[in-house]
Amino acid sequence: MTSRAASQSQFRMIWRQFRQKSAAVRGLWLIAFLIGIAVYAPFLANDKPLYFRGVNQHLFRESLRPAAVELGKLIEVVNRGSTAQTQDSAAAAASTPAESSSTVPAANPVAGLQRAVKTAGALLTPADRDRLQAWLTDVESSNGGRDLAGLKSAQQVLQAQFLRGSVALQPSTSFPILFSLSWLEIWFMVLYPLFIIGAILATRERIGRGGWLLILLVPTLVAVGWWWLVPARLDRTPYKSFDRAGEAGADVAASAESPATASPQRSKSNGRFDTVVWPPVPYGLDEAYLNQKYTSPPWHEPVERLWTQTVGRLWGAAPSKPTESTETQPALTTKADPSERPAADGASAASSTPGRVAATHWLGTDGTGRDLLCRMIWGARVSLSVGVVSVSILVVIGIIVGASAGYFRGWVDIVLSRIVEIVICFPTLFLILTIIAFVGPGLFNIMIVIGLTAWTGIARLVRAEFLRLVEQEFVLACRALGYSNTRIIFLHILPNAIAPVLVSATFGIAGAILTESSLSFLGFGILEPTPSWGGILNSGRDVIDRAPWLTIYPGLAIFVTILSYNIVGEALRDASDPRLRGSRS
Amino acid sequence: MWTYLFKRTLIMLPTLFGITVITFLIVRLAPGDPATLRYGNAGEAAAGANSERSTESAEKRFRERHGFNQPLPVQFGMFLKRLITFDMRYYNRDAPIWPELRKALWVSLWLNLIVFVLTYVLAVPVGILSAAAPNTLFDRWTAFGLFLLYSLPTFFAAELLRILFINPRQLIWFPVVGLQTDGFEGWSLWAQWLDYLHHIVLPVICLTYGSLAYLSRQMRIGMLEVIRQDYIRTAEAKGCSKPRVVLVHALRNGLFPVITLFASQLPAMISGSVIVETIFNIPGMGRFVVENMFAREYDAVMFDLVIAAVLTMVGILIADVLYVLVNPRVSLE
């Protein structure tokens, strides 16, 4: 169709103009980089390893635990069966069938038992697997013979030898982070590189409609496959408490041959690594170390000393010792316990990290000892998704309202313009603040409220464009051809009006991110424990004198994000229409 | 002129009505009402059937007294009546909002007046200077700096200033909390004024830089467009000096975009300083609003919203009139 070809050449023209501004292209890459961080956050900051080869006792116990539950059910059934025989038949007959029908057929305990034993057995060494299998045969025969005593002793064996005692596991390989991902995350992770490639190809005009379809189809197929094949599982394995192979107390397998001698403290060991690869930031989102709260970034103290010695002295500041800020801590720590004192620098923080992961808190920690860099990486998800989702909402509303007003004119235009006029009177941040205060905070509320309140700019823009375009001949031609109004609006007029909308949407994303972080900063936005840049800033407000990194780094992240969106928006506007130079809505 | 103003005011009336409707809907359609807020938590806290029954009946009485058991249209009518008769009140303590509102309004008005004047006084010359010599070193660096400032979130700037001027570094050039030093009442009027000015330095910086960046960019763009025009070349050709061309011939036309922005500056008296007032603990309108939102004072919040919207409307009106005053080519009709 001609209109599509026209719009494509329009985008080509815009891109050619846009490319000439190196700052704008860099801003675009920066945005892509930030989105990449948000998309791949689980691989960048996590308390699980990327790759793990070794013995995972915790996983074994977790997968065997269902067996204990199913065995309990079996015992209950057998028990009830035996009591029902001895009791008065009238009372028992009334209650037992009803109850047993509600518990037993829901999940066949024997089948569940076999499944659990099978999955757990796969982790064992052949000798122990046979032992477990023998145990299962015992249980099955006892169950067949309705042997209550046999079942109960089997239960004890399960607890003592397999669940609490140590068994010999064979080393297994796993990718804990990968398999903790949801299908949606997989979708984004596959889409992201494809989309970047597609965008690069599009700038060289080497991709058509089929290519874009493929780019959307591949991640969707992968995500569906993931959803189908990989069970959603919460991996609670405490990898950080694992021992490295060869360390003292780590050799669980050595004593496993004689389970009777397994000491109680030996059973505390959860596993050991042979090889492990941690993500760059080996800290989890909610991984709190109270003894490390307000740990400063490793370079913080030298920089501060430099500051006080040069600029501070120059400006007439009294020489203050850096230790003073930690001396004022007792109000917060309450105890004189030296371990409660915030660690002075990153090195000592790393050495006191529980588990065998020696890692620095590159950007320090917050008030509960959580790693700031990790929270900022995950917070990027919130901030960037708020921008994109709320702007999608407001663009859709704005286009529909503006297009109807500009296309139909008459009383539709009068009514819609009046509504726009009324909504425009409310200052946006103020309006959003009020609604959020009464509706309640939360990520989705913020997205929706920003989307529902900030659409007036785009509506006015689209209306003006439509008023101009409706007069032109191609619309008359479309009408003469008998096209429906929807078709004319969306397929013929809108492509001609989309460039200013794109520009406005880019600024809108910057505005939405700013609004979200302002709300979170004021305490109305995204609340703990969900990480967001504005929320971290809010948590740093009261400790700004002794933990300024809680303000500086998330603030910089917000600043850089908004800056790059603004640069890109500005260049887009100049490229799309020089007449619009200077306008922002 | 006066007939125009009269007509505009008439047109504004339906918009005003729409504003009150939307305000009312936003606040009242959210779950809960002042009665549940006032008695809901008390009912949970009080143990025993007796006290529960008494809070229940108190809640009911409260609802009846303030009309929260009526259907929404009736409630809207009551809200309108209260709005017109200035009978807005705090529900938590059953007191009118006026004394506190007046104090907060006074504080914000002064603060924002200073910000407003400062913004225009700084932005217009900066815009003119960079437009008078486009693409020079000065122009490029101011453009770059203003762009950075424009993208800098207010709360981040304010927090950075607080880091700079808060205790450990002992840089106590400027106080970071409140508007007056404790015990200022006994001082002379002059000292009080100095103290006030000393306190508002940081908040004013935070409130000014954003609109300053925006305004001077607009000013520069507007001036550039004017300077390109033919009549400027004519003025130059007949031998006018550069300052005369820029300040006398170009400035008047270059002012239009800045004047239209007036509309957005006026409502900032209420809404613009929410963040800054919260950070610097200034008892102005912004903090008044936030506190009432946290306490869910329905009337106070509704009234604030209405004021903010009306101020925008008035701002737009003033901008339109000013536009005509500086640009005789446009008539009021």
Side-chain angles (χ1 to χ4, degrees):
Chain A
M1 275 160 64
T2 49
S3 67
R4 196 172 69 243
S7 76
Q8 269 179 3
S9 69
Q10 183 191 7
F11 281 122
R12 236 173 270 160
M13 207 179 70
I14 292 175
W15 171 250
R16 238 174 270 139
Q17 288 281 320
F18 181 87
R19 199 175 46 185
Q20 288 172 1
K21 294 201 172 171
S22 58
V25 177
R26 253 174 254 152
L28 208 57
W29 278 112
L30 193 59
I31 292 172
F33 172 71
L34 287 170
I35 293 176
I37 286 182
V39 168
Y40 294 108
F43 290 118
L44 295 175
N46 216 318
D47 51 357
K48 300 189 218 3
L50 284 165
Y51 166 80
F52 169 79
R53 176 154 184 88
V55 166
N56 190 343
Q57 293 275 359
H58 189 270
L59 181 64
F60 170 72
R61 278 184 214 130
E62 285 288 304
S63 44
L64 197 57
R65 199 149 285 148
V69 176
E70 302 294 351
L71 187 60
K73 279 187 200 156
L74 267 185
I75 290 176
E76 201 182 322
V77 170
V78 172
N79 199 8
R80 197 182 293 129
S82 61
T83 49
Q85 281 169 5
T86 53
Q87 272 177 3
D88 285 350
S89 56
S95 67
T96 323
E99 276 196 31
S100 61
S101 67
S102 70
T103 53
V104 178
N108 186 0
V110 179
L113 197 63
Q114 282 163 344
R115 209 178 310 125
V117 165
K118 198 180 163 204
T119 49
L123 298 167
L124 287 172
T125 50
D128 274 15
R129 196 184 306 146
D130 291 344
R131 214 149 56 84
L132 191 64
Q133 206 61 47
W135 174 81
L136 181 65
T137 340
D138 274 0
V139 172
E140 276 166 336
S141 63
S142 314
N143 186 42
R146 302 212 155 256
D147 176 9
L148 196 61
L151 281 178
K152 281 197 169 154
S153 75
Q155 197 176 22
Q156 276 168 4
V157 168
L158 181 70
Q159 287 291 338
Q161 293 190 5
F162 293 105
L163 281 175
R164 292 224 192 86
S166 50
V167 284
L169 300 183
Q170 58 182 4
S172 58
T173 302
S174 62
F175 299 90
I177 292 181
L178 187 64
F179 286 97
S180 64
L181 296 176
S182 72
W183 60 269
L184 195 64
E185 283 169 315
I186 290 288
W187 189 78
F188 276 111
M189 284 177 185
V190 178
L191 178 70
Y192 178 74
L194 290 179
F195 185 81
I196 300 252
I197 292 170
I200 291 173
L201 286 181
T203 60
R204 299 190 182 155
E205 297 160 32
R206 290 228 188 104
I207 190 166
R209 180 179 270 197
W212 283 113
L213 213 63
L214 197 70
I215 283 174
L216 272 181
L217 196 67
V218 170
T220 312
L221 283 180
V222 174
V224 167
W226 192 268
W227 173 75
W228 193 260
L229 296 173
V230 181
R233 180 164 67 85
L234 197 60
D235 189 0
R236 286 215 216 92
T237 313
Y239 289 100
K240 293 237 166 136
S241 67
F242 280 17
D243 302 306
R244 192 166 289 287
E247 274 179 27
D251 241 351
V252 186
S255 65
E257 299 304 320
S258 51
T261 61
S263 58
Q265 81 241 71
R266 179 62 43 88
S267 70
K268 280 213 161 189
S269 166
N270 279 308
R272 63 187 160 80
F273 318 117
D274 291 334
T275 327
V276 67
V277 179
W278 289 97
V281 182
Y283 290 102
L285 203 48
D286 301 316
E287 196 181 347
Y289 300 115
L290 279 176
N291 59 344
Q292 287 179 29
K293 59 187 175 191
Y294 300 127
T295 309
S296 59
W299 57 68
H300 179 75
E301 199 156 315
V303 168
E304 185 163 343
R305 205 176 303 128
L306 200 70
W307 171 269
T308 42
Q309 278 170 2
T310 56
V311 184
R313 188 169 293 166
L314 212 66
W315 282 12
S320 67
K321 296 174 194 74
T323 43
E324 264 180 18
S325 59
T326 46
E327 291 295 318
T328 53
Q329 280 289 27
L332 218 99
T333 51
T334 63
K335 275 184 214 159
D337 181 11
S339 71
E340 281 280 305
R341 288 273 296 274
D345 59 344
S348 72
S351 63
S352 64
T353 307
R356 273 71 185 167
V357 193
T360 317
H361 295 288
W362 289 110
L363 296 186
T365 60
D366 67 1
T368 46
R370 293 174 297 191
D371 186 62
L372 179 60
L373 183 55
C374 167
R375 288 187 74 72
M376 276 177 60
I377 287 173
W378 286 82
R381 290 190 152 190
V382 168
S383 297
L384 297 177
S385 63
V386 164
V388 173
V389 173
S390 53
V391 167
S392 322
I393 297 174
L394 72 88
V395 163
V396 168
I397 299 178
I399 284 180
I400 290 175
V401 171
S404 344
Y407 184 78
F408 295 111
R409 306 188 173 193
W411 62 267
V412 180
D413 185 22
I414 291 174
V415 170
L416 289 178
S417 296
R418 278 284 122 155
I419 293 175
V420 170
E421 211 169 277
I422 291 168
V423 177
I424 259 175
C425 281
F426 293 102
T428 315
L429 176 68
F430 198 54
L431 184 62
I432 293 171
L433 198 61
T434 312
I435 300 178
I436 288 290
F438 281 93
V439 176
L443 182 58
F444 287 97
N445 283 357
I446 287 182
M447 287 175 178
I448 291 167
V449 169
I450 293 178
L452 288 182
T453 48
W455 50 268
T456 46
I458 288 200
R460 294 214 310 187
L461 209 67
V462 173
R463 174 178 171 268
E465 287 288 310
F466 266 65
L467 284 177
R468 185 171 63 85
L469 290 167
V470 161
E471 301 281 318
Q472 298 195 1
E473 281 89 353
F474 72 94
V475 179
L476 197 64
C478 287
R479 286 215 179 105
L481 283 167
Y483 288 170
S484 70
N485 285 335
T486 352
R487 182 167 181 179
I488 299 178
I489 288 176
F490 288 107
L491 285 183
H492 295 269
I493 306 184
L494 193 59
N496 292 295
I498 207 75
V501 172
L502 198 70
V503 173
S504 182
T506 315
F507 288 124
I509 292 178
I513 292 173
L514 182 64
T515 307
E516 181 271 319
S517 42
S518 307
L519 287 177
S520 302
F521 177 76
L522 288 175
F524 284 103
I526 285 140
L527 304 179
E528 290 278 305
T530 313
S532 74
W533 293 339
I536 299 171
L537 270 166
N538 180 30
S539 71
R541 265 177 72 187
D542 294 337
V543 289
I544 197 162
D545 51 338
R546 52 176 187 270
W549 51 89
L550 283 180
T551 298
I552 294 173
Y553 300 113
L556 268 181
I558 298 169
F559 176 42
V560 167
T561 313
I562 293 175
L563 188 65
S564 25
Y565 273 109
N566 276 344
I567 289 176
V568 170
E570 195 112 318
L572 264 184
R573 188 198 52 219
D574 292 353
S576 69
D577 192 353
R579 278 180 310 147
L580 289 173
R581 200 176 288 265
S583 70
R584 253 173 197 282
S585 56
Chain B
M1 172 90 188
W2 293 111
T3 48
Y4 172 78
L5 276 182
F6 181 69
K7 267 189 217 160
R8 277 294 299 261
T9 319
L10 273 190
I11 296 173
M12 270 160 62
L13 282 179
T15 316
L16 192 62
F17 183 73
I19 287 169
T20 53
V21 171
I22 288 187
T23 308
F24 179 77
L25 286 182
I26 286 171
V27 175
R28 288 301 293 127
L29 283 189
D33 65 8
T36 49
L37 260 170
R38 184 172 166 151
Y39 295 102
N41 297 331
E44 274 166 33
N50 247 345
S51 62
E52 215 164 86
R53 199 180 309 133
S54 69
T55 51
E56 222 168 75
S57 63
E59 190 178 335
K60 202 173 158 216
R61 252 182 288 127
F62 183 83
R63 271 219 177 87
E64 272 163 15
R65 188 148 66 87
H66 294 291
F68 290 118
N69 52 352
Q70 308 274 358
L72 272 187
V74 179
Q75 282 193 41
F76 177 67
M78 293 167 71
F79 164 64
L80 268 190
K81 190 186 152 208
R82 269 179 293 145
L83 197 63
I84 291 165
T85 56
F86 294 104
D87 184 29
M88 315 300 271
R89 50 201 307 113
Y90 285 123
Y91 287 107
N92 278 334
R93 8 181 183 135
D94 249 337
I97 64 171
W98 301 113
E100 282 166 53
L101 182 77
R102 204 180 303 124
K103 254 185 251 161
L105 200 60
W106 188 244
V107 167
S108 276
L109 214 61
W110 269 113
L111 195 63
N112 282 290
L113 200 67
I114 293 171
V115 170
F116 182 76
V117 171
L118 209 60
T119 309
Y120 273 85
V121 163
L122 289 176
V124 172
V126 168
I128 292 173
L129 274 179
S130 43
N135 288 326
T136 53
L137 211 61
F138 172 79
D139 180 36
R140 277 163 196 246
W141 279 102
T142 36
F144 178 70
L146 290 176
F147 193 77
L148 285 188
L149 280 186
Y150 179 77
S151 303
L152 185 67
T154 318
F155 53 86
F156 185 39
E159 292 287 82
L160 283 183
L161 286 177
R162 272 181 71 208
I163 289 179
L164 209 57
F165 293 109
I166 219 161
N167 251 336
R169 278 157 209 80
Q170 310 287 326
L171 274 183
I172 35 176
W173 284 10
F174 301 111
V176 291
V177 170
L179 283 181
Q180 315 273 191
T181 317
D182 285 338
F184 68 97
E185 290 92 346
W187 301 358
S188 67
L189 205 62
W190 177 240
Q192 279 189 25
W193 250 101
L194 275 184
D195 185 50
Y196 174 74
L197 287 180
H198 188 211
H199 274 82
I200 63 166
V201 170
L202 296 185
V204 163
I205 288 175
C206 291
L207 286 170
T208 309
Y209 80 86
S211 42
L212 169 70
Y214 185 42
L215 264 178
S216 51
R217 282 161 60 81
Q218 293 294 330
M219 187 72 206
R220 173 175 176 271
I221 292 159
M223 285 296 282
L224 275 180
E225 235 150 62
V226 173
I227 282 177
R228 267 192 229 122
Q229 288 178 9
D230 289 341
Y231 79 97
I232 296 294
R233 200 184 305 144
T234 313
E236 275 170 356
K238 75 177 185 189
C240 286
S241 64
K242 182 94 182 171
R244 189 175 161 83
V245 171
V246 173
L247 292 179
V248 178
H249 294 255
L251 181 60
R252 192 159 171 181
N253 283 322
L255 272 177
F256 300 155
V258 180
I259 284 171
T260 44
L261 285 171
F262 188 83
S264 62
Q265 299 287 318
L266 202 57
M269 303 237 168
I270 289 188
S271 61
S273 45
V274 171
I275 291 167
V276 172
E277 284 180 9
T278 316
I279 292 175
F280 291 107
N281 218 356
I282 296 167
M285 280 304 284
R287 227 186 51 175
F288 176 80
V289 167
V290 170
E291 273 169 10
N292 285 322
M293 280 176 187
F294 268 122
R296 288 201 160 210
E297 285 293 354
Y298 284 73
D299 263 14
V301 172
M302 285 199 269
F303 188 68
D304 295 332
L305 257 185
V306 171
I307 294 187
V310 167
L311 273 184
T312 317
M313 254 171 30
V314 173
I316 293 172
L317 178 63
I318 294 176
D320 285 355
V321 172
L322 275 181
Y323 194 76
V324 174
L325 287 186
V326 293
N327 189 357
R329 279 174 299 178
V330 183
S331 77
L332 282 172
E333 303 315 317

